[in-house]
Amino acid sequence: MMGRSHALSGAVTGLAAGIVLHKSAVADLELSGFVAGFVLLNDLDSCGSSAGRCLGLISRSVAWVIRGISGGHRHASHSILGAAAFTGLALLACHFRGDWAGKAGLALLLVIAVSSALEALHVTDGHTADLAAIAVAAAVVWYGYGLALIPLAVGLGCLTHDAGDCLTESGVPLLLPFSQHRFHLLPPRAAFTTGTRPETWIVDPLLTLALLALAVHEVMLSLPVHALVAAR
């Protein structure tokens, strides 16, 4: 799927997970935002992806390395093992946040995720997206805001990305390196090509409606009980 579709699906997954886990409204919004960014990490195996091009030379260099390690686009970085590897790196970065290496790794992860999500969702782009991403990274790295949610958000994001790509004709090799089989969630006639009308006219609107429905549900949960009674 395209970056916009992935980011929307990540926002939906993050908000739904926050509601299911009975987190606070603020934590739910943080988790939704984080997953919307981390859902794009899988595509760091392509220099032309939202994540690969968001920071120019820096992100392209990271994507070039990951592409070489993973074996190309939609290979190891799109497998269950790849999701585990990204989550493990996030856990290590959070655990060693007190060290400069941990700070640098966590900051790079956050800046790439947030900047690429802002661009994919067409919220903003270019240097504005980069500055917003740096501000978010600084708040997490130096002050610890939402730090505990990062590993969860990375894991959810990577798996959500895989699920989205399983809707397309190409599918995803979830069991690499143990199997080359590509998994699909739709029958062959229903599967679509990335960026075509089924994605832009059906998948994206459905994801947007789901996000709005979850947001309304979140607001209703956040209202005091007496306010709901008075409204009746």
Side-chain angles (χ1 to χ4, degrees), residues 1 6 9 13 74 78 80 158-174 181-192 203 207:
M1 292 200 302
H6 280 308
S9 68
T13 299
R74 284 206 190 185
H78 285 65
I80 294 175
C158 290
L159 293 176
T160 299
H161 185 113
D162 288 341
D165 280 350
C166 280
L167 299 174
T168 65
E169 291 178 339
S170 299
V172 173
L174 292 174
H181 176 73
R182 288 181 173 267
F183 289 83
H184 299 80
L185 290 177
L186 294 174
R189 289 188 177 182
F192 55 86
V203 176
L207 288 171

Side-chain angles (χ1 to χ4, degrees), residues 25 217-232:
H217 181 66
E218 178 68 46
V219 171
M220 296 300 291
L221 287 177
S222 302
L223 289 175
V225 176
H226 62 78
L228 294 176
V229 174
R232 293 181 180 178

Side-chain angles (χ1 to χ4, degrees), residues 43-124:
D43 280 343
L44 274 174
D45 59 6
S46 172
C47 296
S49 65
S50 297
R53 64 175 185 269
C54 65
L55 294 180
L57 180 61
I58 296 175
S59 56
R60 282 192 174 88
S61 298
V62 174
W64 183 82
V65 171
I66 292 179
R67 182 181 178 85
I69 294 173
S70 66
H73 185 49
R74 284 206 190 185
H75 283 76
S77 69
H78 285 65
S79 67
I80 294 175
L81 187 62
F86 278 122
T87 305
L89 289 173
L91 280 167
L92 285 173
C94 291
H95 181 74
F96 291 103
R97 184 174 65 99
D99 300 331
W100 280 108
K103 282 185 172 67
L106 184 57
L108 180 61
L109 184 72
L110 285 163
V111 171
I112 288 177
V114 175
S115 180
S116 58
L118 290 174
E119 292 194 17
L121 291 171
H122 305 298
V123 176
T124 185

